[in-house]
Amino acid sequence: MTDRQSRYFVPGPTWVRPEILAEMTRPMMGHRSAEFREVFRRVKGDLKSLFRTTQDAFVSTSSGTGVLEGALLNVVPRRVLVTTCGAFSERWKTIAEQTGVEVDHLDHPWGEAIDPERLATHFAGRRHHYDAVTITHNETSTGVMNDLRALVEVIHAETSDTLILVDAVSSLGSAPILFDEWGIDVCIASTQKGLALPPGLAVFAVSERALAAAKKKPYRGTYFDFLEYKRQGDNDGAPFTPSIPHYFALEKQLDHILREETLDERWERHRKMRDMTLERTAGYAELMSDRTHASVSVSALRPTKRDAQTILSEMRARGFVLGGGYGRWKEESFRIGHMGDISLVALSAMLDVLEEAAQ
Amino acid sequence: MTDRQSRYFVPGPTWVRPEILAEMTRPMMGHRSAEFREVFRRVKGDLKSLFRTTQDAFVSTSSGTGVLEGALLNVVPRRVLVTTCGAFSERWKTIAEQTGVEVDHLDHPWGEAIDPERLATHFAGRRHHYDAVTITHNETSTGVMNDLRALVEVIHAETSDTLILVDAVSSLGSAPILFDEWGIDVCIASTQKGLALPPGLAVFAVSERALAAAKKKPYRGTYFDFLEYKRQGDNDGAPFTPSIPHYFALEKQLDHILREETLDERWERHRKMRDMTLERTAGYAELMSDRTHASVSVSALRPTKRDAQTILSEMRARGFVLGGGYGRWKEESFRIGHMGDISLVALSAMLDVLEEAAQ
């Protein structure tokens, strides 16, 4: 496998460019040193640009799941509404139940997107106040990208004091998220998907009203206490010893995303990758999920001519790694991750090979 | 600064050998792939050897602090005794209070070691049952290494059902810890100290009785739920997307520690580094803490001829980074980190320069 061009098309951890991996070998520095605070400051500023926010953005040395738990611990004292349409949106439910709060859920079948009208109806008919509602922007298990903007609009129309928590683990950097303009309260992403870094870090934006809610909540835990992230972050510091190599890689990659490629171009490239994938696989595979909400970063496909497991192993024999189907869809489907820094050229070359392998 | 030989003597993040950093650039793989499970399996086996345990050892993508919180969440439903002798042992208290349990503490002045006799007396006179007692093996703020074995013996002599939670963040890999033989229940370390990896990962061992206690505790959180680590770990998997680059580095470094250097030699090298540091600085600095418990991995020194801040900046001008004093000791002292993969030759070369700078 050459490193220079991805042959690796799973829905995360995605392929990482060698120049980004190389950043991780910079010599160690202390995380309380002046030189690290410089790195921190640049990352903080660029993260805010990435989230399109003038509020706060932070970095956690953990997977995204840790910060999902943190968001609930910080802002949900009593009751949360979880919207689901696949395995990852359902995880919010499990995590929320563990925190001991009351969990309502608005479930959609696998493969469908969350319906803004059903959400509006649910809110209009609700019997309780919700501290927060959770939305999974991109449902990695089914390849559905929810219409985050429309969902957020519905919630704002129906309530003024329910916070909006967004899992953007597999969408940040791949699709537009306008944190301030849309009015999101906590938005969480991992680095090994749309940002095309190695796993090991999560990034998140937090609104002022989310921080105000956290101040009223006595138990927020320690490691994911957002107020501690805020207190230290205002002084260009991390609350706990961070993964310094990941910070180096993140600093370099944010500069690339914002100034070399630009966010608009990056989003456009992801749309093209999605369109190319759907068009070029149409002859031998069906999209498992709602076509009008087909994700720009991952496609779940049911092959019609050969079975999914055979295709995966044929591709592996040709040096390409694709994603398997997820959970209940494991046997009948496979997934193509087209996210992060994968180029249209690399995707096209892989689709050439897949065309042979799939029929 | 050359990478080949440390000029970096802070008490963590410590200097990392270039060949270990290079491991972090290995191409990405999926964390559910067969090839990653191979890496996981080797790391798991070697970690058990490192902790000297046949019970369970795990890896968390977080700082050590996260797992300290996790240990309390998993095994302390009601009451914990925290032993303190400096800033890091005091952190257990803050974290425990956040979890909402009752916190007793047995405090010692900064610079002293925790006294086994005082601990025995405290236990003998206790009015309550403790679910657990916390011990910080190496107090990084003061350069004191507690006599872990003696403290654990006292606890076992006084009680049969109080679990023993050990912060070995800055001692694992530097000094003996015999998890099974001594009878520890949870032992936690970060990777950026005695193991000489970059920060971003924590490792921990858990006894069967700690897992049994966790089973009885309804709220353990999600990200640090030890039972989930156990369930997935038994199947050679991590519960959440881990920092894969750190796993690659850890795999290589554990092999080096256990088979190239060997643990006995590594412990011996650390003792020699401590002795060399004390001997060679005696002419111009006093040890801030109890000499009979001088840490093998960090020395806190009060200079007698020039002030600490001047020495630190003089050393920086000569290309060497030493640690500053910690907290209330910040102004009057400095610290030398002599841990991880630093060689006696590199330490001696630094001490030559320090001798000029300090007087």
Side-chain angles (χ1 to χ4, degrees), chain A residues 29 31 33 56 58 77 87 124 144 159 164 222 235 257 276 282 291-292 306 316 358:
Chain A
M29 52 175 68
H31 63 290
S33 67
D56 283 295
F58 304 110
V144 161
T159 160
I164 301 175
T222 293
N235 192 28
I257 291 173
M276 181 189 284
R291 196 164 196 92
T292 61
R306 300 185 82 172
R316 197 172 263 277

Side-chain angles (χ1 to χ4, degrees), chain B residues 171-300:
Chain B
S171 60
L172 185 73
S174 301
I177 298 176
L178 310 185
F179 188 86
D180 284 1
E181 192 179 317
W182 295 353
I184 300 169
D185 293 292
V186 183
C187 184
I188 301 149
S190 298
T191 52
Q192 76 276 13
K193 312 263 185 179
L195 301 184
L197 292 179
L201 220 56
V203 296
F204 58 112
V206 180
S207 72
E208 282 161 25
R209 54 177 209 161
L211 289 175
K215 278 193 191 117
K216 290 190 203 140
K217 193 154 178 308
Y219 178 66
R220 301 177 303 273
T222 294
Y223 196 67
F224 298 111
D225 179 358
F226 288 1
L227 297 185
E228 198 56 24
Y229 278 83
K230 169 70 176 163
R231 196 178 68 81
Q232 297 265 5
D234 282 348
N235 192 28
D236 292 335
F240 311 104
T241 315
S243 175
I244 292 174
H246 278 91
Y247 261 89
F248 293 153
L250 182 58
E251 180 186 15
K252 175 102 170 168
Q253 180 69 332
L254 287 172
D255 187 55
H256 166 74
I257 292 173
L258 296 171
R259 294 178 200 94
E260 284 175 20
E261 182 170 28
T262 78
L263 267 178
D264 285 335
E265 289 295 320
R266 196 171 178 87
W267 297 334
E268 176 64 18
R269 176 167 56 78
H270 277 81
R271 281 191 295 269
K272 285 182 180 161
M273 289 200 289
R274 185 256 326 266
D275 293 346
M276 182 191 282
T277 302
L278 298 193
E279 195 185 307
R280 301 269 312 268
T281 57
Y284 54 84
E286 291 165 356
L287 194 62
M288 294 283 284
S289 51
D290 173 10
R291 198 165 194 91
T292 59
H293 292 87
S295 167
V296 299
S297 56
V298 54
S299 302

Side-chain angles (χ1 to χ4, degrees), chain A residues 1 3 8 10 12-16 18 21-31 33 35 61-67 69 73 91 94-96 98-100 192-193 197-201 218-225 239-246 316 321, chain B residues 1 3 8 10 12-16 18 21-31 33 35 61-67 69 73 91 94-96 98-100 192-193 197-201 218-225 239-246 316 321:
Chain A
M1 185 197 294
D3 287 8
Y8 194 67
V10 306
T14 188
W15 175 69
V16 180
L21 284 176
E23 288 296 308
M24 302 191 80
T25 66
R26 282 165 57 183
M28 256 334 93
M29 52 175 68
H31 63 290
S33 67
E35 57 190 331
T61 297
S62 68
S63 79
T65 312
V67 189
E69 180 182 18
L73 285 175
R91 287 186 80 177
T94 319
I95 301 169
Q98 256 285 353
T99 71
Q192 75 276 13
K193 311 263 185 180
L197 291 179
L201 220 57
Y219 178 66
R220 301 178 301 275
T222 293
Y223 196 66
F224 298 111
D225 179 358
F240 311 104
T241 314
S243 176
I244 292 174
H246 279 90
R316 197 172 263 277
V321 183
Chain B
M1 184 197 293
D3 287 8
Y8 194 67
V10 307
T14 189
W15 174 71
V16 180
L21 285 175
E23 288 296 309
M24 302 191 82
T25 66
R26 281 165 57 182
M28 253 336 92
M29 53 175 70
H31 62 289
S33 67
E35 56 190 333
T61 297
S62 68
S63 80
T65 312
V67 188
E69 180 181 18
L73 285 175
R91 288 186 79 179
T94 320
I95 301 169
Q98 256 284 354
T99 71
Q192 76 276 13
K193 312 263 185 179
L197 292 179
L201 220 56
Y219 178 66
R220 301 177 303 273
T222 294
Y223 196 67
F224 298 111
D225 179 358
F240 311 104
T241 315
S243 175
I244 292 174
H246 278 91
R316 197 172 264 277
V321 183

